[in-house]
């Protein structure tokens, strides 16, 4: 593979950054300086309860929610807490990646 091919196939974009805003109870993904995706959560004893994933207009269909979901779930796992996926998007993401997250997830009874 040539250097040009490697650069073209690399999906990483340095203009994307993610943060956890504990004050607002949400994970955020920014592209450039624009807020693109939000995942809201509730902090519970020993758990993070994911509530909603919200894509901002103009950022749909680019896979940014997937990037933020992985970031948020990995953050919870690294913190030693467990995941409660009330958010349908996060729940589907976990179902698609069972080897990574099932052992850290407590599925809500109404799911």
């Amino acid at each position: 593979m040539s250097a040009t091919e490697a650069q073209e196939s690399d999906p990483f974009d340095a203009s994307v950054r993610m943060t956890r805003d504990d004050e607002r109870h949400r994970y955020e993904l920014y592209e450039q300086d624009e807020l693109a995706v939000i995942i809201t959560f509730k902090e519970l004893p020993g758990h993070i309860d994911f509530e909603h994933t919200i894509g901002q207009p103009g950022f749909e269909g680019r896979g940014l929610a997937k990037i933020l979901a992985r970031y948020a779930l990995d953050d919870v796992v690294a913190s030693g807490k467990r995941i409660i996926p009330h958010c349908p998007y996060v729940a589907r993401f976990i179902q698609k990646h069972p080897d990574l997250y099932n052992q850290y997830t407590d599925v809500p009874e109404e799911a």
Side-chain angles (χ1 to χ4, degrees):
M1 177 185 304
S2 72
T4 304
E5 289 173 325
Q7 286 176 337
E8 289 174 2
S9 65
D10 184 1
F12 178 74
D13 184 349
S15 67
V16 173
R17 69 181 167 84
M18 290 147 300
T19 63
R20 176 179 163 153
D21 185 337
D22 285 328
E23 207 170 281
R24 292 183 172 175
H25 304 284
R26 66 190 200 179
Y27 287 89
E28 303 166 332
L29 182 142
Y30 291 84
E31 186 175 58
Q32 302 294 340
D33 290 324
E34 289 189 68
L35 182 60
V37 183
I38 299 166
I39 298 177
T40 61
F41 66 87
K42 268 194 273 193
E43 186 140 8
L44 303 171
H47 291 81
I48 296 294
D49 185 349
F50 289 98
E51 298 177 304
H52 300 286
T53 298
I54 306 159
Q56 302 302 305
F59 293 97
E60 303 92 343
R62 295 166 53 190
L64 298 174
K66 184 183 344 179
I67 293 168
L68 185 58
R70 182 175 296 256
Y71 172 83
L73 291 167
D74 287 348
D75 183 62
V76 173
V77 169
S79 76
K81 293 190 175 190
R82 295 192 55 81
I83 300 160
I84 301 174
H86 276 109
C87 168
Y89 184 87
V90 172
R92 281 191 308 274
F93 188 89
I94 291 169
Q95 288 173 350
K96 290 180 181 178
H97 302 89
D99 294 343
L100 296 176
Y101 302 110
N102 272 355
Q103 66 194 24
Y104 306 104
T105 302
D106 294 325
V107 178
E109 288 183 23
E110 67 273 4

